[in-house]
Amino acid sequence: QSVLTQPPSASGTPGQKVTISCSGGSSNVGSNRVNWYQQLPGMAPKLLIYSNNQRPSGVPDRFSGSKSGTSASLAISGLQSEDEADYYCAAWDDRLNGAVFGGGTQLTVL
Amino acid sequence: QITLKESGPTLVKPTQTLTLTCTFSGFSLTTSGVGVGWIRQPPGKALEWLALIYWDDDQHYSPSLKSRLTITKDTSKNQVVLTMTNIDPVDTATYFCAHIGLRGEYDYWGQGTLVTVSS
């Protein structure tokens, strides 16, 4: 049972926009920055979004993040087949005094 | 550029102690604000944060594993070591180390090392 709650799966067709949610609480998402990671099959995770809505260099602007209260979202527009991966949100938890990850969302491009 | 690589045993017997080493380059753990964390992923399951250590030796552990984990750094060798005691088959996972950026993001990851716990 992950501290941050994500839908286990999401899907879309090429070109569509998909949104993945991440629900937490006041001690994590509500008071700290949220980061998003993309994990392609068999690969290490890759930082996709940091500080709620910032993209590292090299990440396409099709990927965007937002946060409101104790929930965060990752949006992928112009969906492409190479976006098929697992996506994880993460944040620091002040109560646990450690980092917490969501359970991950498996994105399928139909 | 920043790179990290995990190393350690691939097979460990139950009750033994697991020692994993993260060897990195491209940054120094003597630089203010810099940290290294460990994250694991059981086969087919989600990422689980384990521990981190900062340049000033500040350490944080997953509450559920705190009694079994120790994280240390060797700045002269550019290494971070994670030890886990009393290993169990449920600890079978790929273990990743990662560089922690200035805003707490895990911005560079190692390739991971698969550790299987079995008698």
Side-chain angles (χ1 to χ4, degrees):
Chain A
Q1 189 85 2
S2 302
V3 174
L4 304 183
T5 301
Q6 298 179 234
S9 63
S11 63
T13 56
Q16 263 191 334
K17 179 178 180 179
V18 169
T19 301
I20 297 171
S21 62
C22 173
S23 177
S26 58
S27 62
N28 42 68
V29 175
S31 53
N32 292 295
R33 302 179 185 102
V34 175
N35 305 310
W36 290 90
Y37 301 90
Q38 177 193 58
Q39 187 177 31
L40 297 171
M43 302 291 287
K46 168 192 167 185
L47 179 66
L48 200 62
I49 297 287
Y50 68 95
S51 295
N52 306 325
N53 55 19
Q54 301 299 302
R55 281 186 310 277
S57 174
V59 173
D61 58 7
R62 303 186 295 104
F63 295 91
S64 62
S66 63
K67 189 181 94 167
S68 178
T70 59
S71 292
S73 293
L74 171 71
I76 310 171
S77 60
L79 201 60
Q80 299 180 4
S81 57
E82 64 243 40
D83 299 333
E84 195 160 278
D86 293 328
Y87 293 84
Y88 294 90
C89 60
W92 186 260
D93 191 298
D94 294 329
R95 182 176 60 83
L96 298 176
N97 203 22
V100 289
F101 280 87
T105 299
Q106 184 176 53
L107 175 64
T108 301
V109 180
L110 302 170
Chain B
Q1 79 279 19
I2 290 177
T3 64
L4 304 97
K5 187 172 184 179
E6 307 86 353
S7 59
T10 57
L11 181 63
V12 183
K13 289 182 167 46
T15 75
Q16 288 186 335
T17 293
L18 171 66
T19 299
L20 294 171
T21 301
C22 176
T23 303
F24 57 85
S25 63
F27 67 95
S28 173
L29 255 181
T30 61
T31 302
S32 178
V34 174
V36 171
W38 284 93
I39 303 98
R40 73 178 178 180
Q41 185 173 38
K45 296 190 176 180
L47 300 172
E48 179 186 14
W49 179 78
L50 300 177
L52 65 79
I53 189 166
Y54 282 111
W55 86 104
D56 59 357
D57 213 35
D58 184 26
Q59 299 156 34
H60 295 265
Y61 296 95
S62 166
S64 62
L65 294 167
K66 185 172 184 176
S67 64
R68 300 172 52 209
L69 294 176
T70 303
I71 190 169
T72 59
K73 60 182 173 63
D74 186 333
T75 54
S76 65
K77 293 182 179 179
N78 280 352
Q79 291 180 335
V80 171
V81 175
L82 182 74
T83 59
M84 180 181 293
T85 60
N86 195 24
I87 282 286
D88 182 271
V90 300
D91 297 313
T92 293
T94 297
Y95 288 75
F96 298 97
C97 64
H99 172 273
I100 304 174
L102 293 178
R103 288 156 291 270
E105 71 278 18
Y106 290 78
D107 51 3
Y108 296 91
W109 293 64
Q111 64 190 25
T113 185
L114 175 61
V115 178
T116 301
V117 182
S118 174
S119 55

